[in-house]
Amino acid sequence: MKTFLALYMGSDMPVDPGALDQATIDRGMAAWGRWMTDNAAHVVVTGGPVGKTKKTGKDGVTDIRNKVAGYIVVQAESHEAAAKLFENHPHFTIFPGDSVEIMEQLPVPGQG
């Protein structure tokens, strides 16, 4: 099995979580719970939502914005199989998320 980092991507425009009605939240969380149960054998790290972003680089620490809304780590036989786990995911079918981006965890150079 290979390991994959999946990033829940938000939309270009920030969404106020308070703008969602309770019925949508309840329906979305129930669907998310079903997805987690149905895919429990693939989930390595449950992850969760993430907050504001700071960037550390040569120029020091700055506040930035990106579209990452949360993360999860999964295992699958292939990159394609990992991506298919997220088809019709509640993050973007019920909640206002944009997509889920899936990347394979590669070996650290020199440690393989």
Side-chain angles (χ1 to χ4, degrees):
M1 288 279 224
K2 297 178 179 184
T3 303
F4 300 86
L5 171 66
L7 299 176
Y8 297 114
M9 306 304 290
S11 62
D12 287 331
M13 297 297 296
V15 176
D16 175 10
L20 294 175
D21 63 88
Q22 192 60 48
T24 300
I25 293 169
D26 292 347
R27 186 168 60 95
M29 292 310 296
W32 204 302
R34 281 190 301 278
W35 186 93
M36 291 295 287
T37 298
D38 291 348
N39 293 284
H42 296 282
V43 175
V44 177
V45 177
T46 57
V50 295
K52 295 183 179 185
T53 304
K54 290 200 178 283
K55 175 182 171 182
T56 303
K58 293 178 183 179
D59 296 331
V61 178
T62 55
D63 291 327
I64 66 166
R65 183 183 185 287
N66 61 36
K67 290 175 56 174
V68 179
Y71 74 100
I72 189 169
V73 178
V74 297
Q75 286 186 329
E77 291 295 327
S78 68
H79 202 168
E80 183 71 20
K84 286 187 176 290
L85 293 173
F86 296 93
E87 288 182 326
N88 300 309
H89 193 281
H91 174 69
F92 54 83
T93 59
I94 298 172
F95 291 119
D98 178 66
S99 59
V100 180
E101 295 183 7
I102 301 94
M103 296 153 279
E104 183 177 353
Q105 178 185 350
L106 301 174
V108 176
Q111 295 188 9

